[in-house]
Amino acid sequence: MRKFFILDFETNGLSFHDMEIIQCAILVVNEYMKIEDVFNKYYLAHNLKDSAEITGLTHEFLSKKSNDYFGKEDLTEIINITEQGVIVGQNINFDLMVYDVMCLKHHIPIVPKYPLDIIEQFAVNGQYVSLEYTAKQNLSQEQFKNIENISGNTGFHDALYDVATVYELIRKNPQFKSRLNNYMYSLPVPEVYSL
């Protein structure tokens, strides 16, 4: 059965030289657009900088959710989940840069990744907009309830809430399914060919 992955990282900032991952969420989605697995972990950070003001992921919150910093074992777990699959997200190229930076930091070879970004699909008049705005313009109350059921109602800028939002944006969207199938046909890896 073919799968794809909706991935999001929350970090302590945008600077790659001292970046720390403070949360990673992944939804494993099958060819019927059903969630097969949910991965969600929080990690401590040495320095949150200003990120806690945006994400709400404070030192206090993170210490209740985790007792360790993001490390090589965590990265290996994420690689094993997403290996040889299409990785979907809003502004996914940033998340994949984070992914690669962590590989370099932990001396792990950078693995091939196949990103599919939904940002252009939901652009307004050619302008990219936030995930929050995109959701409010495109999702029903029922879909927001589904997001809350998946995420525990954590709110935007929590990685699990954000991947659940992307899932709801694409789940009933025939344009996305068509784009995904076309993209998968173009890939060189048989394991990820068309849903």
Side-chain angles (χ1 to χ4, degrees):
M1 185 176 290
R2 307 301 185 202
K3 299 173 186 174
F4 66 93
F5 310 96
I6 305 173
L7 174 143
D8 188 45
F9 290 114
E10 294 297 339
T11 67
N12 66 331
L14 302 178
S15 174
F16 289 117
H17 83 277
D18 62 351
M19 181 174 283
E20 294 179 85
I21 291 176
I22 55 177
Q23 186 189 8
C24 176
I26 304 166
L27 298 184
V28 180
V29 183
N30 69 23
E31 61 189 300
Y32 305 109
M33 295 292 177
K34 301 292 184 192
I35 296 172
E36 285 198 351
D37 199 9
V38 178
F39 175 91
N40 182 48
K41 285 190 177 178
Y42 297 90
Y43 308 95
L44 300 176
H46 295 94
N47 180 5
L48 285 178
K49 305 179 192 175
D50 297 328
S51 67
E53 295 173 20
I54 298 167
T55 64
L57 302 178
T58 64
H59 284 296
E60 182 182 11
F61 177 89
L62 294 172
S63 66
K64 290 177 183 174
K65 297 285 186 177
S66 177
N67 59 3
D68 211 351
Y69 298 90
F70 185 88
K72 189 171 186 175
E73 288 181 7
D74 303 296
L75 183 57
T76 301
E77 186 176 12
I78 292 165
I79 291 169
N80 288 338
I81 293 169
T82 61
E83 192 171 33
Q84 305 234 339
V86 172
I87 301 176
V88 177
Q90 170 112 332
N91 199 18
I92 194 63
N93 291 321
F94 173 78
D95 293 285
L96 295 187
M97 282 191 287
V98 171
Y99 200 143
D100 288 348
V101 165
M102 290 300 144
C103 286
L104 293 171
K105 180 178 178 180
H106 293 287
H107 308 288
I108 293 177
I110 293 175
V111 297
K113 292 174 229 36
Y114 307 102
L116 184 60
D117 204 321
I118 67 163
I119 197 166
E120 288 183 25
Q121 186 171 332
F122 293 98
V124 177
N125 299 322
Q127 298 294 312
Y128 299 148
V129 293
S130 71
L131 184 60
E132 185 173 1
Y133 179 87
T134 302
K136 287 178 179 175
Q137 296 301 309
N138 291 278
L139 298 181
S140 67
Q141 287 300 103
E142 180 184 345
Q143 288 177 292
F144 274 108
K145 285 180 185 173
N146 290 340
I147 293 167
E148 291 172 9
N149 289 337
I150 295 167
S151 69
N153 194 26
T154 45
F156 289 103
H157 302 298
D158 178 277
L160 186 57
Y161 193 93
D162 288 356
V163 295
T165 302
V166 170
Y167 172 71
E168 284 300 321
L169 283 167
I170 67 177
R171 188 166 67 95
K172 296 181 178 177
N173 188 307
Q175 184 186 3
F176 172 79
K177 186 77 180 280
S178 175
R179 283 183 68 217
L180 180 62
N181 276 329
N182 290 339
Y183 184 51
M184 284 184 163
Y185 272 123
S186 74
L187 297 176
V189 182
E191 288 82 355
V192 298
Y193 283 170
S194 175
L195 295 176

